Amino acid sequence: MKINSNFKLFAATNFDATKYIPSPAYGVNRFMLDRVGEEKARATTIVEYKPNSKFPQHTHIGGEEFLVLAGTFKDQFGEFPAGTYVRNPIDSKHAPWVDEDGCTIMVKLLQMADTGEGTDPLHVNLEEAKSKDGVTTDFGTRLELYKNDQTGERVQMFWVNPDAKLPSDKGGQSGGEELFVMNGSLELDGAEYSKWGWLRFPVGGTPERASLKASKEGAQVYRKTGHLTEEALSMEKMQIQEE
């Protein structure tokens, strides 16, 4: 299966709950953003877990990164409500479950390089971290979440003021850029990407990128840059190939 699998092209979509696809696991639905592979896939996906779901312990052979969008995600490390960023490194293990409130996440699977970071998970409560470590900018607030100097990958969270432009940076221009709207909406060249909308710009960006801004309600935006170069993609531990 291939969905938005050409990383040299711009790709974007708005979330549509009517287009959820049931997964093989009971009570789990998926809205696919990009994907290479079938059930073992390099994938970026919005995943909805129905209430009272449980999952056996498993190992993250290629890493797992996600944002909790709604409900509460739970595992042996704690309880993580909406507004939590989680990074489970390669070879980390957990046995998650969901209680009566259910849970929805945006998750990226099999996209990590094995660069010796160990197996300890990273959990960040975004609002708490914003209050403690957020940096005020001309357009809002920036929070650094993760950086890998070996691959060039950088993960940030932005709270963009109403009608303010979200500028690109050197990492996005030279290494690609991926955006996910947690709250509010973004506008790009006349198109609007609302809550849980997703955009991906290739290495070098696009001419339209300069127009990107928050709507009149502002926007909270996850951003990953530097991860779409040929070198960075080749460093991912799991190389999924599909004809």
Side-chain angles (χ1 to χ4, degrees):
M1 180 184 297
K2 291 187 176 182
I3 298 173
N4 293 323
S5 59
N6 187 340
F7 302 117
K8 296 181 180 180
L9 299 177
F10 170 75
T13 188
N14 271 304
F15 172 68
D16 183 349
T18 67
K19 295 183 179 179
Y20 268 133
I21 299 172
S23 81
Y26 177 76
V28 179
N29 295 316
R30 300 181 293 197
F31 182 84
M32 299 180 184
L33 301 174
D34 69 20
R35 192 175 188 88
V36 179
E38 299 300 328
E39 287 310 309
K40 181 181 178 181
R42 183 198 189 280
T44 304
T45 313
I46 296 174
V47 181
E48 177 191 51
Y49 298 101
K50 295 297 185 181
N52 301 310
S53 302
K54 294 183 179 181
F55 309 92
Q57 178 168 293
H58 57 275
T59 300
H60 301 113
I61 58 174
E64 175 187 66
E65 175 190 14
F66 64 90
L67 292 165
V68 183
L69 306 178
T72 306
F73 186 94
K74 301 181 180 182
D75 63 17
Q76 69 267 36
F77 298 105
E79 300 185 2
F80 308 107
T84 304
Y85 173 74
V86 178
R87 193 175 181 95
N88 291 318
I90 291 169
D91 293 333
S92 61
K93 301 177 181 180
H94 70 165
W97 70 91
V98 172
D99 286 338
E100 61 276 358
D101 58 344
C103 185
T104 303
I105 64 174
M106 187 281 286
V107 60
K108 299 177 76 63
L109 294 172
L110 304 191
Q111 300 182 34
M112 292 186 185
D114 193 356
T115 54
E117 297 177 89
T119 59
D120 292 337
L122 171 67
H123 306 106
V124 181
N125 182 298
L126 295 172
E127 287 298 328
E128 291 179 1
K130 176 188 178 186
S131 298
K132 180 181 178 181
D133 300 316
V135 176
T136 300
T137 69
D138 292 339
F139 54 85
T141 302
R142 181 186 75 243
L143 176 66
E144 299 291 335
L145 294 173
Y146 173 82
K147 187 176 181 182
N148 188 318
D149 291 332
Q150 295 183 59
T151 65
E153 177 187 358
R154 183 184 187 186
V155 181
Q156 303 163 295
M157 185 64 63
F158 293 91
W159 288 261
V160 188
N161 295 332
D163 293 317
K165 287 190 174 182
L166 176 60
S168 60
D169 62 10
K170 291 182 179 179
Q173 286 293 320
S174 63
E177 180 181 34
E178 194 167 346
L179 306 170
F180 183 81
V181 183
M182 285 196 69
N183 290 294
S185 60
L186 292 174
E187 297 177 359
L188 176 71
D189 196 31
E192 182 174 9
Y193 297 93
S194 53
K195 184 176 180 178
W196 301 0
W198 171 83
L199 306 89
R200 192 187 68 212
F201 295 89
V203 173
T206 67
E208 295 77 17
R209 173 62 180 85
S211 72
L212 185 73
K213 69 172 187 173
S215 67
K216 62 182 180 181
E217 60 182 327
Q220 181 183 354
V221 182
Y222 158 100
R223 178 164 82 177
K224 183 193 289 283
T225 57
H227 61 305
L228 296 177
T229 64
E230 291 186 7
E231 181 179 4
L233 291 169
S234 70
M235 291 178 69
E236 293 176 355
K237 181 177 181 180
M238 301 301 296
Q239 297 290 315
I240 304 297
Q241 302 292 336
E242 185 172 344
E243 297 299 331

